[in-house]
Amino acid sequence: MRIERENPARTDEVVGTVAVADADAVDAAVRRARSAQAAWADTDLAHRAELLRQGVARLREHLEELAELTARETGKVLADARGEAGFAATVLGFYADRGEALLTDGGYDDQRGRMVVRHRPFGVVAAVTPWNAPLILTMLKLAPALVAGNAVVVKPSPLAPFGVSRLLELVATGLPEGLVQVVHGGAETASALVAHPGVDRVAFTGGDAAGRAIAGLAARALTPSVLELGGNDPAVLLDDVELGEAAMERLVMATFATSGQVCMAVKRLYVHRSRLDEAVDAFCAAADRVLRLGDPLHAGSSAGPVVSGASAERVEGLVDEARAAGASVLPLGVVDPDTDLSRGYYVRPTLVLGAAEESRIVAEEQFGPTLPVLAFDSVEEVVSRANAGELGLGASVWSADEDRAFDVARRLEAGFAFVNTHNRTGMALHAPFGGVKRSGWGREYGDEGLMEYVQPCVVHAPAVFRAGAAGLAANAYPG
């Protein structure tokens, strides 16, 4: 059985096909990874890091190839895909450089006794990755896992198999044979991988439903997991917000990059009532400047299609439902005149005004190119509304007063709160990222992202039991 992937920008074009891995193929991949892992873990940390830095160089030599593959299979515009490929290489280099500082044995040998704290790899990591940012979301699992001494088996989304496969091939060159494996397929392949008894750690990024299934399988096998799930991110514009061109363009792209198909994109825009009309005008003007819906491979396109026909139907349904309930819908940006929108899954970006708080377009993660705008009257009110719901991935506060913005941001139930920006322009390699509430557990990025892939193991000799020491009673608690 094979997966055939179409280009969502030109659905009559097949990007390629890959073979589906059945349970036997998954088993073989995990066994190959396990056989390679022990020697890799015993390899000197500095040498592991150097081999991975060589992978960084190979990725940079093939950025354009990776970018075009990603653009064609996902609909991500080429400029963004190029940036993603470059950032994936940066992440690999970051973790290669951080390994020695974080993973060297710690401990003490003094009047307290002797203790060694070792950071041991789990073994085989199963990484199940999504289609919307396939290169970077794969690398955020692959890089720290490899630096830490693990082997990795990756199951990419069937909607984005090709860029990930090529990325893994480039990184694996020069590494022990079998250390990095890839298995393709849908839910059955993912289930076979996550439930495999040879898997020691599971890392997943994706939606809520798939996350619950993955977490359930891992839990039944007592396999620890890292989950980064969805978000319904609020952006809060306080009454003193600066609505200049640069800020508004940042806000527009934080919402509509990758056609809004980003877990940490702005999904709800709350504006102080005194600035509502002004903010809507400024947002629409910025969108007209920076949003150009078109073929991802065309120069100047900043928004492409959504990933599938089902996604287009779902997003358009949310907008139509809001309109039918009395909301007004404003189209945003311009359309590339050289793109035939009928060939792909194109959805015009929109701003939705006047939707009710309980409407689906507000209460649910849209994961597409539409944004509801809602007015608020007080900070207490907007904090309560922003914190409503089960998700808590990202949020942002926009204000001319940074201290005030921080005060409000601290009250938002989000794993990552941005100030005067949102989405990728607010990220930092050293800042841990992940969700609270039902948006997952564990962290990526930062030192925390590396420590997710090791287990602290201790060897301890208390000083009280050294020769000539006083000792402790056999039933004593430590002092």
Side-chain angles (χ1 to χ4, degrees), residues 101-299:
L102 295 175
L103 302 181
T104 302
D105 288 353
Y108 56 76
D109 187 355
D110 55 26
Q111 74 281 359
R112 295 169 292 177
R114 183 178 179 185
M115 179 184 288
V116 175
V117 181
R118 304 165 60 203
H119 298 99
R120 300 186 63 180
F122 282 88
V124 175
V125 174
V128 181
T129 62
W131 53 264
N132 60 324
L135 304 182
I136 185 57
L137 292 174
T138 296
M139 187 59 79
L140 284 168
K141 300 158 184 60
L142 180 71
L146 290 177
V147 170
N150 299 282
V152 184
V153 182
V154 179
K155 204 297 288 184
S157 167
L159 298 177
F162 305 111
V164 170
S165 292
R166 183 60 173 140
L167 176 138
L168 296 175
E169 181 182 9
L170 291 167
V171 172
T173 300
L175 301 182
E177 186 176 355
L179 188 69
V180 177
Q181 297 285 306
V182 61
V183 291
H184 292 288
E188 289 186 3
T189 304
S191 296
L193 177 60
V194 170
H196 195 287
V199 166
D200 304 292
R201 182 73 156 160
V202 172
F204 172 77
T205 299
D208 174 77
R212 290 175 189 270
I214 293 288
L217 287 169
R220 284 196 287 277
L222 292 180
T223 305
S225 59
V226 179
L227 302 180
E228 195 258 273
L229 305 179
N232 194 13
D233 289 21
V236 177
L237 276 56
L238 299 179
D239 55 3
D240 64 345
V241 63
E242 293 184 350
L243 300 173
E245 290 188 0
M248 288 299 97
E249 289 173 7
R250 244 184 353 265
L251 181 57
V252 168
M253 293 312 299
T255 305
F256 294 110
T258 317
S259 293
Q261 301 168 117
V262 179
C263 58
M264 59 183 175
V266 178
K267 309 286 180 28
R268 296 174 285 160
L269 182 60
Y270 291 96
V271 183
H272 193 274
R273 195 175 304 277
S274 66
R275 307 294 301 279
L276 180 62
D277 292 342
E278 182 185 1
V280 168
D281 289 345
F283 190 99
C284 291
D288 286 345
R289 292 192 298 272
V290 301
L291 277 186
R292 185 182 182 89
L293 182 65
D295 189 292
L297 300 183
H298 288 186

Side-chain angles (χ1 to χ4, degrees), residues 293-368:
L293 182 65
D295 189 292
L297 300 183
H298 288 186
S301 293
S302 60
V306 294
V307 73
S308 68
S311 292
E313 184 177 342
R314 180 181 51 78
V315 174
E316 290 170 342
L318 290 173
V319 174
D320 290 343
E321 185 178 294
R323 183 189 286 112
S328 56
V329 178
L330 304 180
L332 298 172
V334 299
V335 174
D336 173 24
D338 295 324
T339 296
D340 180 0
L341 299 187
S342 68
R343 288 184 68 188
Y345 303 123
Y346 292 94
V347 177
R348 181 75 178 265
T350 53
L351 211 57
V352 178
L353 309 176
E357 197 81 20
E358 64 275 11
S359 64
R360 289 202 307 143
I361 203 166
V362 177
E364 298 179 8
E365 181 184 19
Q366 313 93 13
F367 216 70

